[in-house]
Amino acid sequence: MITPIGSLLGSTQLAQMRTLLDRADWVDGRSSAGAQALEVKRNRQLPADSPLAQQLGDLILAALSRHPTFISAALPLRIMPPLFNRYEAGETYGLHVDNALRFIQPTGPGQGAAIPVRTDLSATLFLTDPEDYDGGELEIESSFGAQSIKLAAGDLILYPASSQHRVTPVTRGSRSCAVFWLQSMVRDSSQREMLFDLDQSVQSLGSELGQAHDDVMRLSGLYHNLIRQWAET
């Protein structure tokens, strides 16, 4: 399931974030690439351990925790700290599949072992207005063929981490995004999709009929019982 999440960040947050990113020191994106991606990755990124990346990543994680559509679609258990990348003229990221496992490195005194994250879902948060650059589409391979995605600044696309995907070459301007991966409480993608459809239907019917309506209560109970059956915590 490929799910757009609209308006994760507001215009004020975006403007502040872009100002900080424009002043940042970017490094070669291949510094974090795996063996497969190393051959096809040509972009720049903020070092993951930089104070700015951590500051902006915390803002994004806070926004995710407040966004009901994201919670409904992802059912997140663990979320990797966001990484920030930038593409300018000629830069691209060829066809690849994301690593199945990533690790959250604890910070602060007495830090313990790294926390493993199974990457069920990948996410790209667009930070640049689409009219400010040409090219730079995120292309995701699916059973219906390749889908080309270029969203408004502040919007996020959520998609299976198992998908082959690429970023097409930027031919004008500059494209900045935040990317991250997450482990869902529900591992199976078809189960997550059913739960998302059911939850959206419950919310829609609740708005129309009222949360206390018998049908809304019955469907809501079904949703939570399926969560109990399928969730891993």
Side-chain angles (χ1 to χ4, degrees):
M1 182 171 66
I2 299 175
T3 309
I5 309 291
S7 302
L8 181 71
L9 299 179
S11 57
T12 300
Q13 283 181 307
L14 280 169
Q16 294 171 345
M17 194 172 289
R18 284 194 293 246
T19 297
L20 292 171
L21 290 174
D22 286 342
R23 299 171 181 168
D25 293 324
W26 298 84
V27 300
D28 190 336
R30 290 175 295 180
S31 61
S32 66
Q36 179 197 54
L38 191 62
E39 300 298 322
V40 295
K41 187 177 185 181
R42 297 200 307 275
N43 65 2
R44 289 172 294 154
Q45 65 185 33
L46 291 186
D49 58 354
S50 74
L52 179 58
Q54 294 172 5
Q55 173 192 345
L56 299 184
D58 287 344
L59 290 175
I60 292 171
L61 292 175
L64 291 171
S65 71
R66 299 188 297 267
H67 201 292
T69 306
F70 170 78
I71 299 298
S72 179
L75 296 170
L77 178 62
R78 298 188 182 99
I79 305 178
M80 292 291 301
L83 300 176
F84 295 84
N85 57 44
R86 173 163 287 186
Y87 297 78
E88 294 190 345
E91 293 183 321
T92 183
Y93 199 160
L95 193 65
H96 65 285
V97 175
D98 293 330
N99 291 343
L101 289 175
R102 290 182 176 267
F103 296 87
I104 298 175
Q105 301 295 334
T107 58
Q111 59 187 10
I115 301 168
V117 177
R118 185 187 66 236
T119 56
D120 297 320
L121 292 165
S122 300
T124 296
L125 172 62
F126 290 80
L127 301 174
T128 307
D129 292 315
E131 60 269 18
D132 289 343
Y133 63 100
D134 294 333
E137 290 86 1
L138 173 63
E139 289 189 350
I140 304 170
E141 300 287 340
S142 73
S143 57
F144 301 101
Q147 298 192 41
S148 181
I149 298 163
K150 188 175 184 178
L151 300 183
D155 289 356
L156 179 143
I157 194 74
L158 192 65
Y159 58 98
S162 57
S163 302
Q164 293 187 33
H165 55 282
R166 63 168 65 85
V167 177
T168 64
V170 169
T171 58
R172 178 188 66 86
S174 176
R175 171 198 191 266
S176 295
C177 287
V179 298
F180 61 91
W181 300 267
L182 65 91
Q183 179 173 334
S184 176
M185 289 184 287
V186 177
R187 178 198 296 254
D188 186 89
S189 60
S190 62
Q191 292 174 348
R192 280 199 310 272
E193 185 169 356
M194 285 188 283
L195 287 167
F196 178 66
D197 288 343
L198 179 56
D199 185 48
Q200 295 303 294
S201 297
V202 169
Q203 299 307 318
S204 178
L205 285 173
S207 297
E208 181 179 344
L209 302 176
Q211 295 296 329
H213 191 278
D214 286 348
D215 289 338
V216 176
M217 295 286 287
R218 188 177 299 109
L219 288 173
S220 181
L222 173 61
Y223 172 81
H224 287 287
N225 286 334
L226 288 172
I227 290 284
R228 289 186 182 95
Q229 182 173 340
W230 292 339
E232 305 168 9
T233 59

